[in-house]
Amino acid sequence: MQASADSTKMDCLWSNWKCQAIDLLYWRDIKQTGIVFGSLLLLLFSLTQFSVVSVVAYLALAGLSATISFRIYKSVLQAVQKTDEGHPFKAYLEMEMNLSQDQIQKYTDCLQLYVNSTVKELRRLFLVQDLVDSLKFAVLMWLLTYVGALFNGLTLLIMAVVSMFTLPVVYDKYQTQIDQYLGLVRTHINTVVAKIQAKIPGAKRKAE
């Protein structure tokens, strides 16, 4: 019963996290999304100027400065007003943060599933189980060599974060037009792939 309750609780938490993520990406709470988006960009731009160790150390110092200052302020205020409110962070210190064995097992099983699926897909591509899919993968890797020559990892990460917070809103606003153009591009790509399959021996799928 306890395991079932923990699983149900984790499913509810995961559903809540997904809803919160969607709300953030679609700017449904402008203030909250602005804070998260700005913080992520500030962190990434900081990493372009300083090492990871320096950024982590500065963030830890900033956090400690804020919490220590607040703790001292509340202690002085309690002493002046002669109140006994206790530790200002008592509610957070008493908050349960331990993961149960079932929760850890669930996360481990999910991770194992993703790793196994990735390994199987890479094996299928590298050992050319399907020639067309392997050719597509090769073209993608070739394009990534040019992307890697133009941008470093942090730049790509910054671009990914900006895209995450802009593309969903743009797509939601211009969904009809975007779907129309994507349909045209998909049709053109399928036509080109079909021509390549017809000319390369052994490129046709078994399903055909």
Side-chain angles (χ1 to χ4, degrees), residues 53-179:
V53 176
S54 297
V55 171
V56 171
Y58 281 125
L59 288 175
L61 284 173
L64 283 170
S65 299
T67 53
I68 291 172
S69 300
F70 186 72
R71 172 70 191 280
I72 294 174
Y73 167 75
K74 293 295 289 185
S75 298
V76 172
L77 193 63
Q78 290 175 25
V80 172
Q81 296 178 349
K82 296 182 180 180
T83 59
D84 188 19
E85 297 179 3
H87 199 291
F89 301 117
K90 182 179 179 180
Y92 298 101
L93 290 172
E94 294 178 349
M95 186 181 297
E96 183 64 35
M97 297 183 66
N98 295 328
L99 289 174
S100 68
Q101 186 64 36
D102 293 331
Q103 291 171 341
I104 295 175
Q105 185 64 43
K106 185 174 182 179
Y107 288 129
T108 304
D109 291 342
C110 290
L111 179 61
Q112 182 182 10
L113 178 64
Y114 288 131
V115 170
N116 290 338
S117 300
T118 302
V119 170
K120 288 180 181 178
E121 183 65 16
L122 290 175
R123 180 184 64 181
R124 188 181 72 85
L125 292 170
F126 278 101
L127 298 183
V128 199
Q129 180 177 342
D130 187 293
L131 181 57
V132 174
D133 286 344
S134 295
L135 287 174
K136 290 179 181 178
F137 185 66
V139 172
L140 176 62
M141 294 298 103
W142 176 68
L143 292 175
L144 286 179
T145 60
Y146 287 94
V147 173
L150 295 174
F151 309 103
N152 58 31
L154 274 175
T155 303
L156 290 175
L157 193 55
I158 292 172
M159 293 171 63
V161 170
V162 173
S163 299
M164 284 171 52
F165 283 89
T166 55
L167 292 183
V169 178
V170 173
Y171 180 75
D172 188 54
K173 187 174 183 180
Y174 302 101
Q175 182 176 357
T176 304
Q177 297 91 323
I178 292 174
D179 286 342

